[in-house]
Amino acid sequence: MSARPASPFARFALVSSALVLVALILVLPLISVFIEAFRGGVQAWFEAVSHPDAVAALKLTLWVAAIVVPVNVILGVVAGWALGKFEFPGRSLLITLIDLPFAVSPVVAGLLFILLFGRRGWFGPWLGDRGLEVIFAPTGIILATLFVTFPFVARELIPLMQSSGNEEEEAARVLGAGFFQTFFRVTLPNIKWALLYGIILCTARAVGEFGAVSVVSGHIRGQTNTLPLEVEILYNEYRTQAAFSVASLLACVALVALVVKALARKYSNERHRNDEKGVR
Amino acid sequence: MSIEVRGISKQFGTHAALDGVSILVEPGEFVALLGPSGSGKTSLLRIIAGLEQPDAGSVHFHGEDATARDAKDRKVGFVFQHYALFGRMTVFENVAFGMRVKPRANRPPESEIRRKVEELLHLVQLDWMQDRLPSELSGGQRQRVALARALAVEPRVLLLDEPFGSLDAKVRRELRSWLRRLHDEIHLTSLFVTHDQEEALQMADRVVLLHEGRIEQIGTPDEIRSRPASYFVREFLEIS
Ligand SMILES: Nc1ncnc2c1ncn2[C@@H]1O[C@H](COP(=O)(O)OP(=O)(O)OP(=O)(O)O)[C@@H](O)[C@H]1O
Ligand SMILES: [Mg+2]
């Protein structure tokens, strides 16, 4: 189709159908989660979310996020730096590889870890002999989540670090700044909003990951059950109201993530606009 | 403090950006590095500053071999072609940066930093702009902030990469004579890059003419004007 200016009517029709679609596909399900969660009243909601299994699942989920997010931030910054600021052979291949966790189905990612660390896996027996369980244990959940959420931070940073070039860093070096001084005083302030954006996405996914975690977790209640898995179990047991109550916790995480994300986007865009106005 | 490069060669892929370049800049001298685009001027400056390693040859400051020294320890002032100011820092913080990142033992106290920054901003005639961001300055003002920032660490030598490259002709002329006067005041050994022959011949004590990674001629502006060493020099300087 050519890019003819649309008539006012066509524009109205397009915009309103987009809005209706968004409402139907995105907003309605979110609202229904909360409606279902509070169907039995606040009391029932509270009982569901304070059930020992739910609390254990919440704790495990937070633990996993608390480990996965910082690790991926460090890995992502290092990867973003290496790939964004330096030219070397194999660079574009590496950039493609970073997206691998997005490209493969999370279930496949989970199976991959079973293949590596399962009882009959490549490293499983060796680790098992030393009393280290990975599969059906929190370690496996952490590894699988790490894998699935790895691209978020790196992907945000690579284009930004690429476009901002190396000039400010080089200026800092000539002025006598060491590696860490350069990073914390010059590089970090330039990437902080994109970094925050990546962290939010990474956190949201780490908390909500289902597929990969489901494969390696073993679904042991109170031990290896994360929030999404707990929701599924409750739902399968026809405890719909409890399932939605626990799901409402996840929905809250998503909402907070959305708000922070919108803010981060806004600020990083402003920053970009300033860059275009001048500086370089 | 003198700057000397001996037999510098630098290869990018199969392309020789610099091929056996030797220059000696005497203490307090103001030397222009002149050459057409792609002749290797920026590459040479970056090698002197330590931002790039040469494939062959050595860099000496005050007769001392600095080839293996890291950029952060070379104590050179570098003014980048596109200023490379820190976009998120105020003018004041940009100039103060070099002092703030010194090792704690010889970092000046805050009052000293403030005094020094104000003095430098006064020198480059921008004292009233300390709290602005670089994006709020004009090109010529940014250029002067970049210069003040480079001078703040009391460099032993000053390297300027097309300091007036992106300015309009009038501002260029003003800054040119201003920089020359500044040099005559502080006598800092300076090497400055330009592809503008008029600029080089007008400002510099001596001119180094670079062409495809090799030196075509070194000499005072008068020498070069009256005795161009090759057809290229004649052509490039439009000497009839
Ligand atoms: N990082 C690099 N990778 C590959 N080639 C490079 C690199 N830096 C410079 N070159 C090449 O080396 C040659 C010299 O480049 P240099 O930047 O030193 O030229 P210059 O004299 O500063 O030119 P200009 O006046 O356009 O700034 C050019 O042919 C350039 O393409
Ligand atoms: Mg150049």
Side-chain angles (χ1 to χ4, degrees):
Chain A
M1 277 212 301
S2 63
R4 251 176 296 138
S7 72
F9 174 75
R11 208 180 311 150
F12 174 78
L14 274 174
V15 170
S16 51
S17 53
L19 284 178
V20 168
L21 270 179
V22 167
L24 277 179
I25 299 176
L26 299 176
V27 181
L28 207 62
L30 194 61
I31 292 174
S32 74
V33 168
F34 287 98
I35 291 177
E36 288 296 325
F38 289 101
R39 177 155 292 207
V42 178
Q43 184 68 32
W45 176 84
F46 185 76
E47 263 162 35
V49 298
S50 59
H51 187 280
D53 286 347
V55 172
L58 178 64
K59 268 192 192 152
L60 179 62
T61 300
L62 293 180
W63 259 116
V64 170
I67 293 169
V68 164
V69 175
V71 170
N72 268 343
V73 166
I74 293 169
L75 290 178
V77 169
V78 171
W81 189 320
L83 293 170
K85 302 243 167 191
F86 300 102
E87 288 285 340
F88 52 88
R91 181 172 159 276
S92 44
L93 180 71
L94 262 177
I95 290 186
T96 315
L97 273 182
I98 280 194
D99 281 344
L100 185 73
F102 281 179
V104 303
S105 154
V107 176
V108 176
L111 288 174
L112 201 132
F113 281 97
I114 302 252
L115 181 71
L116 287 179
F117 300 111
R119 278 277 154 72
R120 284 191 215 58
W122 293 1
F123 308 114
W126 187 86
L127 289 169
D129 290 346
R130 280 149 191 82
L132 293 169
E133 290 295 335
V134 175
I135 301 305
F136 302 156
T139 318
I141 297 177
I142 289 169
L143 284 177
T145 312
L146 265 177
F147 179 83
V148 172
T149 59
F150 172 71
F152 285 107
V153 175
R155 268 169 63 114
E156 283 302 315
L157 296 187
I158 290 169
L160 185 68
M161 289 180 127
Q162 227 169 338
S163 71
S164 67
N166 239 341
E167 281 203 330
E168 289 190 23
E169 279 81 5
E170 285 183 341
R173 246 175 89 204
V174 178
L175 287 167
F179 178 83
F180 287 103
Q181 284 173 318
T182 305
F183 179 76
F184 284 106
R185 286 170 184 261
V186 176
T187 308
L188 192 60
N190 280 336
I191 61 169
K192 67 180 176 206
W193 290 112
L195 183 61
L196 180 63
Y197 188 75
I199 291 174
I200 298 300
L201 291 177
C202 181
T203 310
R205 184 65 189 270
V207 169
E209 173 57 24
F210 178 80
V213 168
S214 170
V215 175
V216 298
S217 137
H219 306 264
I220 308 165
R221 273 203 156 159
Q223 282 179 38
T224 65
N225 240 7
T226 59
L227 275 185
L229 301 184
E230 181 71 16
V231 172
E232 197 215 11
I233 292 186
L234 287 169
Y235 188 77
N236 286 345
E237 290 170 346
Y238 300 107
R239 291 160 64 191
T240 313
Q241 190 270 328
F244 275 104
S245 299
V246 176
S248 72
L249 295 180
L250 283 172
C252 285
V253 174
L255 285 177
V256 171
L258 269 181
V259 171
V260 182
K261 193 183 99 167
L263 288 178
R265 229 342 149 225
K266 188 163 157 261
Y267 280 106
S268 69
N269 280 348
E270 260 162 35
R271 165 71 182 145
H272 272 297
R273 239 169 287 130
N274 280 341
D275 273 355
E276 275 151 27
K277 264 191 267 160
V279 185
R280 63 181 119 254
Chain B
M1 176 106 28
S2 64
I3 311 171
E4 188 179 7
V5 296
R6 291 186 200 154
I8 293 281
S9 295
K10 178 76 187 178
Q11 197 96 8
F12 288 110
T14 57
H15 174 83
L18 292 168
D19 186 6
V21 172
S22 301
I23 303 172
L24 172 63
V25 183
E26 300 286 355
E29 218 182 359
F30 193 63
V31 172
L33 194 56
L34 177 65
S37 187
S39 54
K41 307 180 298 290
T42 299
S43 305
L44 184 60
L45 226 54
R46 289 172 58 83
I47 286 172
I48 295 173
L51 291 172
E52 207 95 63
Q53 276 298 312
D55 298 331
S58 54
V59 178
H60 305 256
F61 297 115
H62 198 56
E64 204 179 299
D65 191 344
T67 320
R69 216 180 289 158
D70 193 89
K72 80 178 175 47
D73 305 316
R74 290 201 187 185
K75 290 200 142 205
V76 302
F78 200 114
V79 178
F80 291 81
Q81 189 163 357
H82 304 288
Y83 325 122
L85 293 177
F86 305 124
R88 298 189 149 262
M89 296 181 203
T90 60
V91 165
F92 184 96
E93 285 305 319
N94 262 281
V95 178
F97 186 89
M99 290 182 270
R100 293 209 194 284
V101 295
K102 282 191 175 170
R104 187 153 301 169
N106 41 16
R107 190 183 309 157
E110 188 60 34
S111 57
E112 173 68 16
I113 293 181
R114 179 156 288 278
R115 194 189 60 73
K116 189 79 188 286
V117 172
E118 277 163 4
E119 184 188 305
L120 280 163
L121 286 176
H122 183 70
L123 185 73
V124 299
Q125 302 157 0
L126 284 175
D127 4 21
W128 45 288
M129 291 223 162
Q130 357 181 308
D131 298 322
R132 298 230 191 149
L133 287 175
S135 55
E136 297 162 344
L137 303 182
S138 74
Q141 291 165 340
R142 279 179 213 165
Q143 193 57 65
R144 284 181 279 157
V145 174
L147 187 62
R149 181 179 70 172
L151 294 176
V153 286
E154 296 179 349
R156 306 183 298 174
V157 302
L158 189 60
L159 307 173
L160 306 115
D161 193 357
E162 308 215 19
F164 316 121
S166 39
L167 306 175
D168 66 54
K170 183 169 169 292
V171 183
R172 246 177 124 105
R173 262 195 308 277
E174 279 170 20
L175 273 182
R176 211 186 273 173
S177 52
W178 174 82
L179 181 63
R180 179 66 227 200
R181 260 182 285 124
L182 183 73
H183 178 264
D184 294 341
E185 268 171 44
I186 58 179
H187 292 294
L188 192 55
T189 313
S190 307
L191 184 59
F192 94 101
V193 163
T194 177
H195 60 241
D196 180 338
Q197 42 99 4
E198 187 198 320
E199 194 165 283
L201 295 176
Q202 210 179 64
M203 290 175 70
D205 297 328
R206 282 194 303 150
V207 176
V208 177
L209 238 152
L210 211 59
H211 177 46
E212 288 179 351
R214 289 170 205 241
I215 293 181
E216 288 279 335
Q217 187 169 7
I218 302 184
T220 63
D222 282 342
E223 280 167 4
I224 289 186
R225 257 194 231 106
S226 54
R227 289 191 300 279
S230 66
Y231 177 71
F232 168 80
V233 178
R234 193 181 296 270
E235 185 88 323
F236 188 70
L237 300 184
E238 293 159 6
I239 300 169
S240 48

